[in-house]
């Protein structure tokens, strides 16, 4: 049973409007907040994304990263790396996977389809693009000492039975997922394919989309399955949840 869900901001960006909304808002610069989500049960601590590693330069548009990177954000919640049992990454990008090698006990869950695309892309891919997807220190660690901890997810897969499942949706990247979390108040959906709420509520695909039609298909899927929806870059969460707590079970004080 889920006991608590909270978010911690691990950085901010400002990007051109058409990156957020497909072929719209050309004269605007829009804010994004990078979120790490912490999902707790009585015996597990699951992270959705790990934030940028401290001093990482793979994300040059990061204008306001917290000192110490994503690990400092986790520490601010009173959670240690050793307590984390599961890490889910969506998508394979440095701002999401930058600290995935820092959790000695955690199973690291990645999209199988996204992992295969990274290693055998069907298109020309630059060295810079690969480094931006998975920073070299993280990649080496996953291939070497962390390999036994790696779990490559099928397009529909389960992380915690009857509690946390995932669906591959594409749209943003080949590694993009929706993470479904079953709480006592309904299903919470977390995804990187929603930058601002209007992407979802008004069927306006994100601008940085490898396939905008996959976006529309995924938005329909989310509407059919989720009771609450959270974009992993939505700056509005700072105002809506100033303490970062999205859910707390009624039995928790």
């Amino acid at each position: 049973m889920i006991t608590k869900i909270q978010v911690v901001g691990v950085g901010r960006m400002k990007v051109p409007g058409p990156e957020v909304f497909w072929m719209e808002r050309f004269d605007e610069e829009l804010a994004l907040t990078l979120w790490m989500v912490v999902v707790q049960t009585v015996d597990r601590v699951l992270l959705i994304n790990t934030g940028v590693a401290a001093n990482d330069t793979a994300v040059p548009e990061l204008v306001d990263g917290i000192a110490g990177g994503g690990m400092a954000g986790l520490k601010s919640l009173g959670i240690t790396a050793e307590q984390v049992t599961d890490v889910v990454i969506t998508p394979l990008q440095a701002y999401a996977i930058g600290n995935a090698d820092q959790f000695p006990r955690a199973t690291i869950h990645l999209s199988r389809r996204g992992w295969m695309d990274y290693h055998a892309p069907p298109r020309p891919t630059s060295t810079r693009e690969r480094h931006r997807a998975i920073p070299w220190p993280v990649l080496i660690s996953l291939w070497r000492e962390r390999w036994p901890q790696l779990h490559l997810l099928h397009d529909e897969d389960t992380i915690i039975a009857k509690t946390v499942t995932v669906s591959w949706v594409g749209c943003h990247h080949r590694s993009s997922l929706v993470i479904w979390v079953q709480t006592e108040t309904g299903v919470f959906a977390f995804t990187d394919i929603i930058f601002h709420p209007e992407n979802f509520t008004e069927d306006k695909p994100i601008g940085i989309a490898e396939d905008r039609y996959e976006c529309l298909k995924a938005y329909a899927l989310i509407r059919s399955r989720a009771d609450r929806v959270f974009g992993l870059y939505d700056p509005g969460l700072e105002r809506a949840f100033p303490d970062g707590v999205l859910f707390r079970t009624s039995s928790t004080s």
Side-chain angles (χ1 to χ4, degrees):
M1 181 179 71
I2 300 297
T3 58
K4 191 175 185 179
I5 304 174
Q6 54 193 327
V7 293
V8 57
V10 295
R12 296 184 180 88
M13 298 179 180
K14 285 192 175 181
V15 300
E19 292 191 12
V20 177
F21 298 105
W22 178 270
M23 297 298 287
E24 293 186 23
R25 316 278 279 269
F26 283 90
D27 58 344
E28 297 181 54
E29 193 174 50
L30 300 176
L32 300 175
T33 299
L34 301 176
W35 295 105
M36 176 192 294
V37 184
V38 183
V39 179
Q40 294 177 259
T41 72
V42 292
D43 58 356
R44 293 171 79 162
V45 176
L46 179 147
L47 303 185
I48 301 173
N49 293 346
T50 66
V52 181
N55 304 315
D56 195 337
T57 59
V59 190
E61 63 270 50
L62 189 68
V63 297
D64 183 17
I66 63 172
M71 298 305 292
L74 189 64
K75 185 178 179 180
S76 73
L77 301 180
I79 297 173
T80 67
E82 290 74 18
Q83 290 175 296
V84 175
T85 60
D86 300 271
V87 172
V88 190
I89 300 298
T90 183
L92 293 181
Q93 289 291 297
Y95 53 74
I97 199 172
N99 294 293
D101 57 339
Q102 299 298 309
F103 304 97
R105 296 181 54 241
T107 300
I108 302 164
H109 308 271
L110 310 173
S111 163
R112 178 180 296 270
R113 190 190 297 229
W115 183 255
M116 292 173 64
D117 180 82
Y118 175 86
H119 289 287
R123 63 201 174 281
T125 305
S126 68
T127 299
R128 180 179 180 276
E129 184 179 353
R130 286 173 60 81
H131 175 61
R132 181 183 171 91
I134 309 178
W136 305 136
V138 177
L139 179 61
I140 292 168
S141 178
L142 293 179
W143 264 113
R144 197 165 54 190
E145 60 267 20
R146 303 294 180 193
W147 181 254
Q149 297 168 246
L150 202 61
H151 175 213
L152 298 181
L153 296 159
H154 296 286
D155 287 358
E156 294 286 336
D157 217 328
T158 298
I159 295 174
I160 303 176
K162 300 181 180 179
T163 306
V164 181
T165 58
V166 300
S167 298
W168 179 90
V169 287
C171 172
H172 186 199
H173 291 287
R174 298 302 85 195
S175 51
S176 294
L177 306 169
V178 177
I179 296 95
W180 315 96
V181 181
Q182 178 68 60
T183 75
E184 63 186 28
T185 60
V187 175
F188 288 27
F190 298 91
T191 185
D192 62 285
I193 69 169
I194 297 171
F195 290 6
H196 282 205
E198 294 86 350
N199 293 128
F200 171 68
T201 60
E202 300 180 21
D203 269 343
K204 294 182 176 182
I206 57 175
I208 303 182
E210 295 187 16
D211 188 327
R212 68 184 187 276
Y213 299 107
E214 288 177 345
C215 296
L216 297 174
K217 182 178 178 181
Y219 297 157
L221 174 67
I222 294 169
R223 276 192 287 272
S224 73
R225 291 179 58 176
D227 298 294
R228 302 190 68 180
V229 180
F230 300 91
L232 293 174
Y233 313 111
D234 180 6
L237 296 184
E238 296 181 67
R239 296 185 300 275
F241 303 94
D243 63 354
V245 177
L246 307 185
F247 169 82
R248 182 185 284 113
T249 184
S250 56
S251 60
T252 302
S253 59

